[in-house]
Structures are given as C-alpha cells and as structure tokens.
Amino acid sequence: MRCSYIRLLVDDYEACFRFYSDVLKLPVLRGDEHSRYAEFDVDSTTRLALNQREVMAEALETDTADPGLPHQDRMAVVFEVDDVDATAARLVAAGARQVMAPRDWTAWGIRAAHFRDPDGYLLEVSRPLI
C-alpha cells in the first residue's frame, strides 16, 4: 500500500479551496472552487485533497449510520493498491472494520473500499479506473 492522498473533508469547501490555492499557493491538480473536490500538489507522491464533507457522508451513508461516530467524517487517509478486492478481503480477514465493500465509484474515477481504524478514522483503499 502507498499513501496516495490525505483527504480533508471540509464544511466550507470554497473557503478551504481558496486557502490552499490562494494563501498556501499550492498548485491545483484537479477541481476548482466550485467542484466540491480538488487535489493539490504538495511536492510529494502523496497529494492533499479537499472534499465537501456532505458528499463523502452521503456516499458512505455515514451521516446517520453509527451513533458512536461523528455524523460526518473530518478526514480520510487514502491508500493506493494494485488490487482493491484482494486488499479489502485481506483487511477484513485480519479484522479490519469495513464501512463499504469494494465498488466502482465511476464519478470519482476509482474502485475503492472503505474501512475504519480502531479510533474511527476513515481509511480508503483504491485504484484508478482505467
């Protein structure tokens, strides 16, 4: 697994986009001020991404799913893998708590599965759809 993204799940997407693009001057690789998702070059193989918080909560049905967790996540750590299904099966077999089984997220251009660590943080294993 390679950590490919740190994804911040933000409430005020437009203000955060302007902060990272205009204040920090990070080059925008994907998205814009209104797209609700953007990726920034942080001079590393790992990218920084912003995602409108509600978009992720709706996609993973976490806005009401578990009373022990915040209604919407604040961040996700994204690991790129060669085989999402095999990695997800290995993680489940090892005892990882799966949030969403592997599936194609065509709007996002990825195949991904989602998990939680023991403290409830959201983890994604994914690969680009090509």
Side-chain angles (χ1 to χ4, degrees):
M1 276 193 265
R2 177 178 70 83
C3 184
S4 55
Y5 293 89
I6 302 297
R7 185 180 300 147
L8 304 179
L9 307 175
V10 299
D11 290 316
D12 190 341
Y13 174 84
E14 292 175 0
C16 288
F17 181 90
R18 287 190 304 271
F19 175 80
Y20 287 99
S21 65
D22 299 345
V23 176
L24 293 186
K25 303 289 188 198
L26 296 177
V28 178
L29 299 171
R30 180 177 177 183
D32 61 38
E33 188 174 344
H34 305 289
S35 62
R36 302 190 317 164
Y37 180 83
E39 296 173 8
F40 297 90
D41 184 348
V42 290
D43 198 24
S44 169
T45 57
T46 301
R47 293 182 181 175
L48 175 67
L50 297 179
N51 206 163
Q52 181 71 39
R53 222 169 150 203
E54 294 86 29
V55 171
M56 196 69 155
E58 289 169 7
L60 297 180
E61 300 172 359
T62 57
D63 49 348
T64 59
D66 188 337
L69 295 172
H71 291 297
Q72 294 178 350
D73 292 292
R74 299 293 301 172
M75 68 168 286
V77 179
V78 181
F79 294 96
E80 187 172 324
V81 297
D82 292 329
D83 186 329
V84 172
D85 296 80
T87 302
R90 180 178 59 79
L91 293 173
V92 168
R97 181 174 160 207
Q98 190 171 52
V99 175
M100 187 71 65
R103 65 181 267 201
D104 290 346
W105 300 84
T106 53
W108 298 354
I110 60 172
R111 180 163 185 77
H114 295 86
F115 296 85
R116 294 214 180 268
D117 76 3
D119 217 37
Y121 285 100
L122 184 63
L123 306 176
E124 176 180 292
V125 293
S126 64
R127 69 166 171 74
L129 290 173
I130 297 178

